[in-house]
Amino acid sequence: AGSRASVQTALRTLLTAPWPSQRDVRSWLQLLSVLQWVLSFLLLGTVSLLLLVYLLFTSFWPISALYLAWFIFDWDTPEKGGRRLPCLRRWPVWRHFRDYFPVKLVKTHDLSPSHNYIIGSHPHGILCVGAFCNFITGSTGFGEMFPGIRPFLTTLAGNFRLPVFREYLMSGGLCPVTRRAIGYLLSKNGTGNAVAIVIGGAAESLSCRPGVTTLILKNRKGFVRMALQHGAHLVPSFSFGENDLFRQVVFEEGSWMRSIQQRFQKMMGFAPCVFYGRGLTSVRSRGFLPYARPITTVVGEPVAVPKIEDPSRETVDMYHEMYVRSLLKLFEENKTKYGLSETDELHIL
C-alpha cells in the first residue's frame, strides 16, 4: 500500500509539473545543434581515426581494412570538387544552428551564373561560424539569393586526411585551401562556382577578440593571383559579430606564448588559441560553446577580374588594392547597421 501511494504521489507530481514551453524546446534544440557542430569539428576526425586503429586489433578488422582501401582509392577526390550532398545542406538541424546566434546573410549585388568567383571571407574569428552557416548550409538562403551559384568553402588540407571527417566535410561542399583544389573549381567545374576563402586564416584567429577588428590581408595576395589566372571575379564579404562569439586570452607580440602559437601555426597550419565561451548548462558558466551573438554576413560588390595566365606582380598588386578598397567600402557602409559604432575602424595588417 505504501509503495502504491508513493507511486501515485510521484505521478501526481509529474502531472502537475510545468511542461517545457515551445520556447524552451526551441532553445534546447538550438543548443544541441551548436553542440553537435562544435564536437564534430573538434573530435570527429580524431575519434574516427582512433576507432579505426582499435578495430584493426579486433575481429572487426575488415572494416578498417576496407575503409583504408577506399581512402587510398578516393585520395584525390577533395582536390577535384569533392562530393557534396544537397540533402546534408538542407538538414533541418542547420535551421536551429542558424537561429541560436542568429546568423543572417545580406546580399548587396547580384552574382551572374556565367562567371566564377572567389569570395573573400572576413574575419576568421575562432571557428568561422558565419562562413560555415552561410556558404555550407542552406539555412540562410544563399541558393535563393544567388540562383545558379554553387558555394564552396575552403579549409585546411590536413582535415581531408582524417578518416570519416573528410567525408563529412566534402558532403557539405568544403574543399582544401590548395591551388589544385581551388583551380579545379574555377576551371574544370563549369561556371557559377563561388569559392569562399577565409583569407586571414589561422594567423588572424590569434588577434580575434570582441571590439577589435584586425584583418591579416596586406600580404595575402595568392587569392588575387588565382583569380587573375582563372578570370574569377573577386567578391568581398564581412561577417559582423564573428569576433564576439568567444573570449580569447590574447598574448602580446614578442611574448614567449605568442611565439609558441606562431611557430605551431607555421608547422601545423592552425593556431592553438586559448579561448572560452559559454557552458552547456548555463550562459554564465564557462565552456567551449560560442555565445549567442548575432552574426550578419554581408556579401559585397564583385570586382571584375580579367583572365591573365601569368599576371605580373604589378597587376596582382593593382587588383589586390581594388579588392581592399571594395572591402573597406563594404565595412564602412554597413558597420553601424550591424552592431558597430561610427568610430570603429577596420585594421588591415
Side-chain angles (χ1 to χ4, degrees):
S3 61
R4 187 193 303 174
S6 61
V7 170
Q8 290 175 340
T9 302
L11 286 172
R12 280 196 297 270
T13 303
L14 182 64
L15 291 172
T16 55
W19 287 86
S21 65
Q22 286 187 341
R23 183 178 179 181
D24 291 334
V25 172
R26 281 199 302 270
S27 296
W28 294 341
L29 288 173
Q30 290 167 11
L31 192 62
L32 288 173
S33 69
V34 173
L35 176 64
Q36 66 81 26
W37 179 77
V38 171
L39 291 179
S40 294
F41 271 83
L42 294 181
L43 298 176
L44 181 59
T46 304
V47 171
S48 300
L49 178 60
L50 292 175
L51 179 61
L52 287 171
V53 171
Y54 168 75
L55 291 178
L56 282 173
F57 301 95
T58 71
S59 58
F60 296 102
W61 66 267
I63 295 176
S64 296
L66 287 171
Y67 185 83
L68 178 61
W70 162 254
F71 191 92
I72 295 171
F73 174 78
D74 198 51
W75 183 264
D76 282 339
T77 299
E79 303 275 354
K80 296 180 178 179
R83 190 170 40 247
R84 58 199 291 146
L85 297 176
C87 60
L88 188 92
R89 294 173 60 86
R90 296 193 298 266
W91 201 18
V93 73
W94 300 131
R95 294 198 298 271
H96 300 299
F97 180 87
R98 171 200 65 196
D99 294 339
Y100 170 83
F101 299 94
V103 182
K104 180 184 177 184
L105 180 65
V106 175
K107 167 186 172 180
T108 62
H109 292 78
D110 290 330
L111 298 182
S112 170
S114 61
H115 296 290
N116 285 324
Y117 303 89
I118 290 180
I119 300 178
S121 179
H122 311 273
H124 182 285
I126 297 293
L127 293 179
C128 303
V129 172
F132 177 87
C133 192
N134 288 298
F135 302 131
I136 293 302
T137 82
S139 62
T140 57
F142 185 97
E144 291 74 27
M145 288 187 195
F146 302 101
I149 303 295
R150 291 181 298 276
F152 296 85
L153 178 63
T154 58
T155 185
L156 291 173
N159 289 328
F160 295 89
R161 302 299 176 240
L162 292 171
V164 181
F165 189 44
R166 72 191 290 274
E167 323 299 341
Y168 178 69
L169 294 178
M170 284 193 291
S171 64
L174 283 113
C175 64
V177 61
T178 62
R179 289 184 177 276
R180 184 183 175 196
I182 298 169
Y184 182 93
L185 292 172
L186 296 178
S187 63
K188 298 179 181 178
N189 200 44
T191 60
N193 301 293
V195 183
I197 303 175
V198 186
I199 295 165
E204 194 171 276
S205 65
L206 294 176
S207 302
C208 165
R209 60 184 186 272
V212 178
T213 310
T214 301
L215 304 183
I216 307 296
L217 179 59
K218 192 174 291 184
N219 295 316
R220 299 287 175 99
K221 300 178 181 180
F223 73 102
V224 178
R225 181 174 293 277
M226 287 211 70
L228 285 161
Q229 289 171 340
H230 298 285
H233 294 187
L234 291 166
V235 184
S237 73
F238 196 93
S239 293
F240 294 91
E242 183 73 47
N243 284 351
D244 299 330
L245 304 183
F246 294 95
R247 301 290 182 267
Q248 182 180 182
V249 180
V250 178
F251 301 102
E252 296 298 324
E253 286 290 344
S255 66
W256 65 275
M257 278 298 296
R258 184 72 165 200
S259 64
I260 289 175
Q261 287 179 313
Q262 290 170 339
R263 285 181 191 174
F264 193 93
Q265 181 241 318
K266 287 179 181 178
M267 288 189 297
M268 304 299 293
F270 66 93
C273 302
V274 181
F275 67 91
Y276 65 88
R278 60 156 291 179
L280 184 60
T281 56
S282 167
V283 177
R284 289 178 290 276
S285 62
R286 289 189 179 184
F288 55 88
L289 295 178
Y291 292 107
R293 302 285 188 269
I295 304 171
T296 304
T297 300
V298 184
V299 179
E301 182 178 4
V303 176
V305 175
K307 185 175 181 179
I308 305 173
E309 289 188 9
D310 187 21
S312 65
R313 179 180 295 181
E314 292 74 21
T315 303
V316 172
D317 288 345
M318 181 180 72
Y319 280 96
H320 183 271
E321 188 178 333
M322 290 170 63
Y323 175 84
V324 172
R325 284 203 303 267
S326 183
L327 175 63
L328 287 169
K329 178 185 175 186
L330 173 71
F331 179 82
E332 291 297 329
E333 289 179 350
N334 292 278
K335 63 182 182 181
T336 56
K337 299 177 187 176
Y338 305 116
L340 299 180
S341 67
E342 191 65 48
T343 57
D344 283 320
E345 296 181 353
L346 189 61
H347 303 284
I348 296 179
L349 302 178

